């Protein structure tokens, strides 16, 4: 049985929530959903490009939340986040929880070839060294990244956001993973939609950085409406190849869904592709510049993250949040 969460409990003076510039819109909406003030961060950029970020209000002995993402420009955003965490640590914040809706460098999670770095681990080390005491992420590219940290990491499941949306459409979809690595994620989404045995997997091979080749489709998509579900759309190459392969196998409607829509090569390739019916992403990164595209639907994480932040403030379970969120959206 889901617990009723008391919104007023979140109005607690020991908590301060900041939104970094690149996540300000989402941060504002989270604040509205839990009736809590979101504070901006003062930022100075020096002539040589160095940054200085700091808080205008005291954080002494407080529990601080930073809503942020480290998408493009990845390196600047990471550095700004680290500098801000450092400023909070030196201002005597008691706890610093980084609500990192997109984790840049997550895809560099292992040595894929000799002499390569594991940058996802380096980022984890940097966050801890700066002073983070907890990380809340959503759909980390590889859930094992949680283990790169010696502090708690909540890797939230985006499937709850997508299942709420797809359920509301009253249609049947076959969920398709664009590669073998995403099969578990696709299966979980399919199970939340109550058609768990019907998934398909694209047999994809990486041929170089940001390049891939499709070898085939495992599963039956003929005459079905499909949702290709990935964690990240970066250049869009993986997904567009997958769309073509599914159409060749007789798929009817093709919806593309991904938690993190980076769209590094813009959105035109989707808008102008007759085989793509719709693209659904979350606001884990900012999409203000893409709002006029007709095929793009953006699902907000605000309510969900609001509930998660409340659960942290109120010391209650995140599992209950999943239930509560699911029930509110049935
Ligand atoms: C790869 O393993 C990820 O899950 C995504 O499929 C990939 O990062 C998407 O990149 P792109 O859009 O550049 O093909």
């Amino acid at each position: 049985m889901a617990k009723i969460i008391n919104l007023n409990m979140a109005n607690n003076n020991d908590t301060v929530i900041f939104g970094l510039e690149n996540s300000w819109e989402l941060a504002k909406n989270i604040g509205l959903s839990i009736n809590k003030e979101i504070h901006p961060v003062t930022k100075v950029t020096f002539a040589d490009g160095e940054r200085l970020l700091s808080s205008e209000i005291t954080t002494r002995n407080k529990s601080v939340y930073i809503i942020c993402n480290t998408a493009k420009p990845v390196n600047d955003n990471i550095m700004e986040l680290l500098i801000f965490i450092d400023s909070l640590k030196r201002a005597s914040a008691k706890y610093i929880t980084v609500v990192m809706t997109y984790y840049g460098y997550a895809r560099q999670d292992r040595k894929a070839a000799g002499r390569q770095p594991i940058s996802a681990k380096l980022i984890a080390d940097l966050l801890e060294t700066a002073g983070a005491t907890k990380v809340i992420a959503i759909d980390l590219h590889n859930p094992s990244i949680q283990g790169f940290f010696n502090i708690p990491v909540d890797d939230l499941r985006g499937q709850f956001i997508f299942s709420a949306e797809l359920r509301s459409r009253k249609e049947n979809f076959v969920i398709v993973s664009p590669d073998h690595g995403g099969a578990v994620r696709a299966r979980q989404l399919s199970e939340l939609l109550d058609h768990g045995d019907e998934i398909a997997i694209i047999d994809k091979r990486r041929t170089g950085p940001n390049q891939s080749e499709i070898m085939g489709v495992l599963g039956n998509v003929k005459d079905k409406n499909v949702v290709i579900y990935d964690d990240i759309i970066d250049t869009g190459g993986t997904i567009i190849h997958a769309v073509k392969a599914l159409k060749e196998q007789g798929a009817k409607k093709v919806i593309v869904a991904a938690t993190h829509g980076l769209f590094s090569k813009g959105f035109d390739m989707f808008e102008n592709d007759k085989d793509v019916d719709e693209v659904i992403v979350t606001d884990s990164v900012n999409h203000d510049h893409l709002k006029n595209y007709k095929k793009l639907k953006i699902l907000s994480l605000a309510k969900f993250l609001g509930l998660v932040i409340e659960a942290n403030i109120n010391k209650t379970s995140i599992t209950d949040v999943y239930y509560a969120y699911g029930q509110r959206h049935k």
Side-chain angles (χ1 to χ4, degrees):
M1 193 49 184
K3 284 182 192 145
I4 306 294
I5 296 166
N6 178 1
L7 289 183
N8 294 326
M9 283 172 77
N11 282 325
N12 159 339
N13 287 333
D14 288 341
T15 303
V16 181
I17 308 179
F18 291 99
L20 290 198
E21 204 178 7
N22 63 349
S23 289
W24 183 249
E25 202 54 36
L26 173 62
K28 228 174 48 190
N29 291 331
I30 290 174
L32 287 173
S33 84
I34 55 173
N35 191 24
K36 189 97 177 99
E37 184 172 3
I38 304 295
H39 296 271
V41 175
T42 303
K43 179 169 112 178
V44 179
T45 301
F46 294 94
D48 63 353
E50 285 181 5
R51 310 286 155 84
L52 190 160
L53 286 89
S54 58
S55 161
E56 293 287 329
I57 56 168
T58 181
T59 54
R60 183 173 303 280
N61 280 324
K62 307 229 177 204
S63 175
V64 175
Y65 291 78
I66 309 170
I67 297 162
C68 60
N69 74 76
T70 55
K72 214 171 154 183
V74 179
N75 298 329
D76 279 353
N77 284 331
I78 287 173
M79 207 53 214
E80 287 185 10
L81 173 60
L82 294 171
I83 290 169
F84 187 52
I85 296 171
D86 184 73
S87 76
L88 295 170
K89 175 179 71 183
R90 292 175 196 286
S92 303
K94 191 169 183 188
Y95 302 111
I96 304 172
T97 299
V98 183
V99 184
M100 202 169 170
T101 54
Y102 177 74
Y103 188 110
Y105 286 105
R107 287 173 287 180
Q108 293 183 30
D109 57 352
R110 68 197 188 288
K111 283 179 73 167
R115 300 189 296 278
Q116 286 192 353
I118 306 180
S119 308
K121 164 71 174 142
L122 176 63
I123 298 297
D125 290 344
L126 291 170
L127 286 166
E128 275 192 62
T129 301
T133 56
K134 177 173 178 143
V135 171
I136 297 176
I138 179 149
D139 283 344
L140 284 170
H141 175 64
N142 175 355
S144 306
I145 291 172
Q146 293 165 80
F148 293 180
F149 290 84
N150 291 311
I151 54 175
V153 178
D154 286 333
D155 179 23
L156 306 174
R157 305 268 52 97
Q159 285 94 331
F160 285 85
I161 310 289
F162 287 95
S163 65
E165 170 64 25
L166 294 173
R167 245 175 212 285
S168 72
R169 299 187 177 206
K170 317 260 182 253
E171 275 177 82
N172 267 344
F173 296 104
V174 174
I175 308 300
V176 181
S177 170
D179 51 31
H180 294 278
V184 172
R185 190 182 302 119
R187 169 81 61 203
Q188 287 169 342
L189 175 57
S190 189
E191 281 171 0
L192 285 172
L193 295 172
D194 299 329
H195 29 93
D197 48 348
E198 262 210 293
I199 68 162
I201 300 170
I202 307 276
D203 189 12
K204 178 185 98 171
R205 198 170 62 143
R206 273 258 166 244
T207 49
N210 288 125
Q211 281 171 5
S212 62
E213 187 184 333
I214 287 186
M215 319 302 286
V217 178
L218 311 174
N220 179 20
V221 294
K222 191 163 167 36
D223 296 325
K224 314 259 184 180
N225 293 334
V226 301
V227 176
I228 314 173
Y229 183 45
D230 207 348
D231 59 334
I232 302 169
I233 298 175
D234 185 355
T235 62
T238 301
I239 288 284
I240 290 288
H241 286 149
V243 171
K244 301 299 160 196
L246 292 167
K247 278 286 178 187
E248 274 166 25
Q249 297 297 314
K252 280 201 306 199
K253 186 195 270 186
V254 178
I255 297 179
V256 167
T259 309
H260 311 293
L262 306 183
F263 303 118
S264 302
K265 294 205 169 163
F267 194 76
D268 286 350
M269 71 170 80
F270 295 103
E271 189 81 0
N272 301 330
D273 190 316
K274 63 175 183 10
D275 293 329
V276 175
D277 287 278
E278 189 180 358
V279 179
I280 312 177
V281 295
T282 75
D283 54 0
S284 67
V285 304
N286 191 288
H287 295 112
D288 277 354
H289 57 300
L290 302 177
K291 278 201 168 137
N292 291 332
Y293 283 102
K294 293 195 176 59
K295 285 190 186 172
L296 181 62
K297 170 141 186 128
I298 299 162
L299 306 179
S300 184
L301 295 171
K303 269 192 191 139
F304 185 55
L305 288 177
L307 290 171
V308 168
I309 291 172
E310 268 180 350
N312 274 278
I313 294 171
N314 299 335
K315 305 178 183 68
T316 56
S317 155
I318 302 282
T319 306
D320 291 343
V321 170
Y322 285 136
Y323 282 116
Y325 188 84
Q327 298 200 344
R328 279 186 196 188
H329 289 82
K330 261 190 184 158

